[in-house]
Amino acid sequence: MANIIGIQEIVNGPRNYVIKVDIEGDGAGDETDFELIQADYLECDNVRLDKVWASLVGFSASLEWDGPTRIPFLQIPAGFDISHDWSDSGGLPNPKVANYNGNVNLVTSGLGAGEKGTMILHFKKKGEV
């Protein structure tokens, strides 16, 4: 059995994409590498992160821009509730390195059996496919 990642779409509109991500460890492994967002599915070139709320118990996580070289852009520590809003300053944009694909990955670390976390992520869609 694998660690459980559940994604609930809250908004998937022409400009906004908001999801709730629930994470639960099953004890089989402490790290999960999961493709969280596919830009093609969203019919856009890429996304930027405008807002985040997260609470992780017993493990940490990282959000990474996908591509030939992954670029971590948000570290979420274990044991803290975080809430950030970058929308007034233009959000956290994808740096668009050569051959980027616009996708976002979630990587957990230290995820043990029964440990849980929740994130709410508000992205803005950029460009069209």
Side-chain angles (χ1 to χ4, degrees):
M1 190 171 163
N3 293 323
I4 299 165
I5 309 285
I7 300 175
Q8 175 187 1
E9 282 187 347
I10 297 170
V11 175
N12 187 358
R15 294 274 297 139
N16 295 294
Y17 185 62
V18 181
I19 56 174
K20 178 181 179 232
V21 181
D22 291 306
I23 306 163
E24 183 174 351
D26 69 351
D30 72 346
E31 185 170 302
T32 299
D33 190 341
F34 183 80
E35 188 172 68
L36 193 60
I37 293 178
Q38 291 180 336
D40 290 347
Y41 165 74
L42 297 179
E43 299 179 355
C44 65
D45 183 55
N46 69 80
V47 295
R48 74 172 193 230
L49 180 62
D50 273 359
K51 300 175 188 176
V52 62
W53 175 87
S55 179
L56 307 179
V57 177
F59 68 99
S60 61
S62 171
L63 295 179
E64 301 177 350
W65 300 120
D66 195 8
T69 302
R70 288 210 183 159
I71 302 170
F73 66 93
L74 181 65
Q75 300 294 324
I76 304 169
F80 293 95
D81 291 345
I82 66 166
S83 179
H84 295 290
D85 183 346
W86 298 280
S87 58
D88 288 341
S89 60
L92 299 179
N94 187 325
K96 299 183 193 178
V97 296
N99 300 316
Y100 78 98
N101 59 23
N103 298 342
V104 176
N105 293 310
L106 167 68
V107 178
T108 65
S109 180
L111 183 57
E115 294 178 332
K116 297 181 180 182
T118 298
M119 297 185 283
I120 297 176
L121 305 168
H122 182 163
F123 292 93
K124 280 283 194 217
K125 297 178 183 181
K126 305 294 287 177
E128 294 184 22
V129 180

